[in-house]
Amino acid sequence: MWWYPSSVPLVLASRSPRRKSILEMAGIPFVQIPGDVEEVPMEGAPGEVVLHWARRKARNVLPKSLGRPVLGADTMVAQEGCLLGKPRDEDHAFEIISRLSGRWHSVFGGVSVLWPEQDIELGFHHETRVLFRELEPHEIRAYISTGEPMDKAGAYGIQGYGCMLVDSIRGCYFNVMGLPVSRFVHEFRKMLLERR
């Protein structure tokens, strides 16, 4: 594809089906090699936290990359400075979604690309603002009963049943889904051109 700046396929250092779907949708050539980084809660500004984990994921898979560029990514939800990760259980999911009901929150996406063969170490974070409509407790419980919230930051997936929770969005939809793909390609292409 004309927008992807290299003939060398990416290595996606993630097992996320959402990120896989975004790259496929964009026509970007890649192979998926999940890493084994265990994410633990950490303090810090949301943008710095997601970038930290994106870099850790990319570095973890780099030895298996066979000279290809490695893409690591991470996504977190934050509201008023508080990071809202994946829910521990259904009660925690209910607590998170209730907190987001009728209010704005931010989704932070961290992106890291490592490609030592081209002297590339790219890293950035991207923020998208999302507003949930006012939700009734029975709606929240019905959504949780689908199982969808349980493996997602902020306890919802905008690309699935969670689309019914969202009233408005400011910024990149794909960042909320898991990867700010347009900015990633733009930044990657710019860095490759600078190396030529």
Side-chain angles (χ1 to χ4, degrees):
M1 293 293 178
W2 58 266
W3 51 85
Y4 181 68
S6 173
S7 59
V8 181
L10 279 174
V11 173
L12 174 61
S14 171
R15 61 177 42 88
S16 165
R18 277 84 60 187
R19 295 186 183 112
K20 178 177 183 283
S21 174
I22 291 170
L23 292 178
E24 288 172 342
M25 198 182 320
I28 295 171
F30 73 99
V31 294
Q32 191 170 21
I33 304 179
D36 57 3
V37 173
E38 182 182 353
E39 293 183 62
V40 295
M42 63 179 289
E43 298 295 319
E48 294 173 3
V49 172
V50 290
L51 185 52
H52 166 85
W53 289 115
R55 284 180 173 143
R56 284 279 303 274
K57 292 173 184 179
R59 287 190 186 120
N60 180 259
V61 170
L62 190 60
K64 304 174 186 174
S65 67
L66 302 177
R68 296 167 293 191
V70 179
L71 169 64
D74 193 57
T75 306
M76 287 194 174
V77 171
Q79 188 179 63
E80 297 175 352
C82 180
L83 287 172
L84 305 173
K86 296 175 183 177
R88 295 183 299 272
D89 51 36
E90 291 189 355
D91 288 340
H92 189 214
F94 185 88
E95 179 186 322
I96 292 172
I97 298 171
S98 297
R99 176 180 177 145
L100 300 178
S101 173
R103 301 171 66 196
W104 285 95
H105 63 273
S106 291
V107 178
F108 288 87
V111 174
S112 174
V113 180
L114 301 179
W115 197 5
E117 288 76 7
Q118 297 292 328
D119 193 30
I120 285 179
E121 185 167 347
L122 169 65
F124 67 86
H125 63 83
H126 196 85
E127 180 180 2
T128 302
R129 297 283 286 160
V130 180
L131 173 65
F132 272 17
R133 62 184 177 81
E134 292 279 356
L135 303 169
E136 297 292 336
H138 70 88
E139 292 181 283
I140 299 173
R141 290 193 181 92
Y143 176 56
I144 292 169
S145 73
T146 68
E148 184 177 88
M150 303 315 297
D151 67 338
K152 295 174 180 63
Y156 76 98
I158 196 169
Q159 74 287 343
Y161 301 122
C163 67
M164 299 304 298
L165 313 179
V166 176
D167 179 80
S168 186
I169 180 170
R170 292 180 188 161
C172 176
Y173 166 86
F174 294 102
N175 186 48
V176 183
M177 190 173 162
L179 180 69
V181 64
S182 179
R183 182 173 174 193
F184 150 64
V185 170
H186 173 74
E187 299 281 358
F188 187 39
R189 181 170 55 223
K190 185 169 66 173
M191 189 164 273
L192 272 176
L193 288 173
E194 287 171 358
R195 296 294 185 274
R196 289 175 184 163

